[in-house]
Amino acid sequence: MNPPSNGALRVGELRPSQLLHTYGVGSVADLPNLSTMVLGLDHWELVQATQLTEDRLLAAVRRRLGPQVATLRTPPQMQETSDPFGEWTRVGVPVALFPRWLRCSREQCNQLSHVSSGLFELEEHVYRPENTRYAHNCFSTGRRRPTAVPARFLIACQDGHMDDFPWQYFVHRGGTPAHDCTLSLVERGTTGEAANIFVQCSCTGVTARSMAEAMGKRGEKELPACRGHHPHLGTFDVCGERVRTIALGATNSWFASQLRVFSLPKAEEPLTQAVREHWKFLAPLAPVPAEAAKMLLPTQACWPVLEEYGVDRVWKAVTDEAAATPATTSPGGPDDEGFDLATPEWKAFTAPHPYDLPDFTTESEKVPATASTWLKRVVLVHRLREVSALTGFTRIDAPEWLPLEHDADPTVRAAPLTREPPSWVPCAELRGEGVFLAFHEKRLDEWEKRPEVAAREKILKAAHLTWCLARGLDPQWPGIRYVLLHTLAHVLIRGFALECGYGASGIAERVYARSGKNPMAGILLYTAAPDSEGTLGGLVSLGRKDRLGPVIDQALEEARLCSSDPMCAEHDPRIHGRLHGAACHACLFAAETSCERGNHYLDRALLVETLAGNLGSFLP
């Protein structure tokens, strides 16, 4: 992470995957002595940003952000060496100081001022970038000077804008401060809550004001309207919405808006698969004479992937593809289903034959006898590759969770990553393993037609409508089938975590649920890591017949009773407009990294019989 003003000054380190999931563009990264904001893509250097190939994801990103998006790239990075002044120190993601109001950490001082006031001095540490800090000259000299820490509060609005807290406006209650006044931020209690934090001004007649007055509904009335500021872009929009005070480091200050896909097979043979994946680099060579083309092949960006096959084999594969594919199309590229991210994945997992490719390896496994009445197929996914793209972000409220087939919806509301429409977006690739479970369509169809299931769906849909209307959203009910499969996925995540060696937060889900035409009914539980070799096989081993049956039986048995029952089992989602029925943190809720829908659309009553009775349970 580098500040834009000086590429040689490093202020911290983050993993590349964190730049999409936790500390992406527009987020505030809290470092030991500094608080910084990751700047927009306009400021990023792309020299060390690797271009990724994933046609389905690029098509989905273009549908959401526009056809001008040309590439998917990883965040810029370079291998670290022992040289503290090496080239690697000038490669990174640019950040800027935010918030720009600092407070002296010396208890007798607590002076609060803008960084441009000249009261604070930046101390650079080349060898220990985590020690870079701002110091206040109120006491002693050199290293003994107290550290200036970031102000604890910010303001943001639901349109994704963020700004420094208006300290002068707040303490003067909208009045005009004197030219020579000084502010201080004092904590008078020991709890750290807002009611014990006071803003003081040296102006005569100005009384200290508690930060509790800036919180909640009262704060929305006391604070000025939003200026439409995007600090990561340095722009101001026309906004005027009411702002909300948030604490520095609050989890609701930044939510990623992402698109994710699995790399799917385009061929049954690894070389053909690799050629089709990188066809846009290889297609221009097809008309070139053979000898010249073979000399050009090692100069292509995709050559490191193809090198192991040799020039002659690669060239033959290229000519074969060129002969079999019209010049206007891309082999294995997105077809009419390109924007439906779920159907191609469903077809790949349910293919009648296994795959053995570098990024997609599957194996069929026998169904456990105890689950054979409802479970149709088990597929062990030994290797898979997931590529995710950051397309924007939101503040205050998380992105509204849409059904998978609508993930590329261009109406998804999110703050921009660039000033102008972006020509590229940052991506991350993960490799791992998983277990895919497909269900009997006939059994699900019969279950959906049961009157008690219809009654339960009516309750859940009423709560869903209330929730959407409160947020001004168009209600898009995912269907009762989705709620059932999503609930089972969460139940199995907990069960798998106890047996496979991975933490529950490291196991993610993908739910495939659709009724009517081209129905789907399945779940994929998988784990992935940024390492090029992926994971260790602990999850796949649970998919074996002799282990999967007991795990499912135990997980379902535990789902029947929750430590919060009967309150959990008898929860009525219509009362407060919730998106879940019988579900809570004690029984079903999963980590943010695991659930694709933010712990929405869950209900144990649809899966098993609970203390509330049989309300339409799928399993006896």
Side-chain angles (χ1 to χ4, degrees):
M1 298 170 61
N2 300 326
S5 58
N6 183 356
L9 175 61
R10 298 177 65 87
V11 295
E13 296 180 355
L14 292 173
R15 294 191 302 273
S17 58
Q18 287 182 297
L19 291 169
L20 267 76
H21 305 287
T22 311
Y23 300 110
V25 172
S27 68
V28 177
D30 194 12
L31 304 175
N33 298 310
L34 293 174
S35 180
T36 60
M37 175 169 285
V38 180
L39 296 182
L41 301 183
D42 305 296
H43 300 279
W44 291 33
E45 295 289 343
L46 301 183
V47 177
Q48 300 295 335
T50 304
Q51 183 173 335
L52 296 183
T53 301
E54 187 54 62
D55 294 336
R56 290 198 312 125
L57 181 59
L58 182 59
V61 170
R62 284 173 173 168
R63 184 166 185 258
R64 178 176 289 186
L65 299 181
Q68 79 288 339
V69 180
T71 59
L72 310 172
R73 294 178 179 269
T74 63
Q77 59 176 320
M78 198 172 178
Q79 184 65 37
E80 183 176 340
T81 66
S82 58
D83 182 7
F85 301 101
E87 182 65 25
W88 67 274
T89 63
R90 290 179 285 277
V91 177
V93 173
V95 298
L97 184 71
F98 193 85
R100 288 157 295 194
W101 281 76
L102 304 177
R103 177 184 66 85
C104 178
S105 59
R106 181 168 167 255
E107 187 176 353
Q108 293 78 11
C109 181
N110 290 314
Q111 186 168 352
L112 180 68
S113 184
H114 196 277
V115 68
S116 63
S117 64
L119 298 176
F120 307 109
E121 181 181 349
L122 178 63
E123 289 185 358
E124 302 179 10
H125 287 260
V126 177
Y127 294 97
R128 299 288 299 276
E130 69 275 9
N131 291 336
T132 299
R133 65 167 191 155
Y134 278 89
H136 191 210
N137 295 320
C138 65
F139 174 77
S140 191
T141 59
R143 298 287 179 87
R144 298 181 59 190
R145 293 181 299 175
T147 299
V149 298
R152 289 180 53 181
F153 298 96
L154 304 166
I155 55 174
C157 81
Q158 292 184 335
D159 286 342
H161 302 120
M162 179 176 278
D163 214 337
D164 287 290
F165 187 85
W167 300 103
Q168 295 277 18
Y169 180 98
F170 179 70
V171 72
H172 286 272
R173 293 168 173 79
T176 303
H179 178 70
D180 57 347
C181 71
T182 60
L183 300 182
S184 59
L185 193 63
V186 181
E187 188 170 344
R188 297 180 180 176
T190 59
T191 62
E193 59 182 341
N196 293 334
I197 301 174
F198 291 82
V199 187
Q200 298 179 167
C201 181
S202 61
C203 291
T204 304
V206 178
T207 58
R209 196 169 189 187
S210 170
M211 286 301 300
E213 300 179 30
M215 301 294 178
K217 294 295 183 180
R218 179 175 180 180
E220 293 181 6
K221 297 178 181 179
E222 296 284 346
L223 297 175
C226 179
R227 300 191 300 168
H229 187 31
H230 281 310
H232 66 292
L233 303 179
T235 61
F236 290 86
D237 300 331
V238 177
C239 185
E241 294 285 338
R242 290 196 177 275
V243 296
R244 184 179 303 182
T245 301
I246 60 176
L248 181 64
T251 56
N252 65 342
S253 64
W254 190 86
F255 297 99
S257 178
Q258 294 184 348
L259 290 170
R260 302 184 183 188
V261 302
F262 293 119
S263 294
L264 301 181
K266 299 179 180 179
E268 297 182 15
E269 191 267 327
L271 176 55
T272 306
Q273 169 78 10
V275 168
R276 290 180 176 179
E277 284 182 350
H278 301 91
W279 185 247
K280 68 178 179 179
F281 299 109
L282 301 174
L285 299 181
V288 177
E291 293 302 320
K294 290 180 181 181
M295 296 177 61
L296 292 173
L297 275 174
T299 66
Q300 302 304 303
C302 60
W303 183 246
V305 179
L306 301 171
E307 186 176 8
E308 62 177 297
Y309 302 104
V311 172
D312 292 333
R313 289 185 61 194
V314 172
W315 175 242
K316 184 179 185 306
V318 170
T319 54
D320 290 345
E321 285 300 326
T325 308
T328 56
T329 63
S330 173
D335 51 18
D336 292 338
E337 297 176 333
F339 299 129
D340 180 358
L341 301 183
T343 300
E345 295 176 4
W346 168 259
K347 290 181 177 179
F349 288 125
T350 57
H353 54 81
Y355 288 97
D356 187 10
L357 299 171
D359 290 327
F360 197 84
T361 302
T362 60
E363 175 191 356
S364 294
E365 178 67 18
K366 293 182 178 180
V367 176
T370 55
S372 59
T373 59
W374 54 273
L375 189 58
K376 179 181 180 181
R377 190 174 184 186
V378 177
V379 178
L380 307 182
V381 186
H382 293 277
R383 288 196 294 266
L384 58 79
R385 172 178 178 255
E386 182 188 47
V387 184
S388 56
L390 181 67
T391 61
F393 63 89
T394 63
R395 305 196 194 276
I396 308 300
D397 291 326
E400 306 308 343
W401 307 99
L402 298 173
L404 191 60
E405 58 267 25
H406 298 294
D407 271 346
D409 192 337
T411 63
V412 173
R413 181 176 172 184
L417 305 178
T418 56
R419 295 185 180 184
E420 302 295 331
S423 61
W424 68 280
V425 294
C427 294
E429 58 179 345
L430 303 175
R431 286 179 169 83
E433 54 174 311
V435 177
F436 177 80
L437 307 177
F439 299 79
H440 284 296
E441 179 61 34
K442 182 179 179 181
R443 174 71 188 277
L444 270 174
D445 186 60
E446 293 174 350
W447 173 80
E448 288 175 318
K449 295 176 180 178
R450 289 166 53 182
E452 59 268 32
V453 174
R456 187 65 177 176
E457 182 177 19
K458 184 177 180 181
I459 293 174
L460 294 172
K461 287 183 70 174
H464 174 260
L465 178 61
T466 302
W467 187 89
C468 291
L469 293 178
R471 291 159 176 79
L473 301 175
D474 181 25
Q476 295 186 18
W477 174 244
I480 197 66
R481 174 180 300 205
Y482 183 92
V483 182
L484 170 66
L485 299 183
H486 191 209
T487 302
L488 179 58
H490 278 235
V491 168
L492 293 181
I493 284 176
R494 292 188 170 224
F496 279 20
L498 296 176
E499 300 289 339
C500 70
Y502 297 113
S505 61
I507 303 176
E509 67 180 2
R510 190 66 65 88
V511 180
Y512 303 92
R514 180 191 297 153
S515 301
K517 185 180 179 181
N518 301 321
M520 296 187 298
I523 58 176
L524 172 70
L525 301 181
Y526 68 100
T527 185
D531 186 84
S532 60
E533 297 300 324
T535 50
L536 302 176
L539 190 60
V540 162
S541 65
L542 281 185
R544 299 295 180 185
K545 177 183 177 182
D546 57 336
R547 299 192 66 188
L548 182 60
V551 170
I552 291 178
D553 294 342
Q554 181 63 29
L556 292 175
E557 185 63 30
E558 293 179 355
R560 300 179 189 278
L561 185 64
C562 172
S563 60
S564 296
D565 281 343
M567 183 172 59
C568 175
E570 297 176 354
H571 169 66
D572 188 341
R574 296 170 296 184
I575 296 177
H576 299 291
R578 304 296 186 189
L579 291 184
H580 61 83
C584 68
H585 287 282
C587 59
L588 285 185
F589 287 177
E592 181 182 352
T593 53
S594 298
C595 182
E596 67 179 15
R597 302 296 291 269
N599 285 321
H600 297 329
Y601 306 112
L602 297 167
D603 190 1
R604 286 188 296 127
L606 294 175
L607 180 62
V608 293
E609 185 174 348
T610 66
L611 288 182
N614 190 338
L615 302 179
S617 60
F618 178 69
L619 299 176

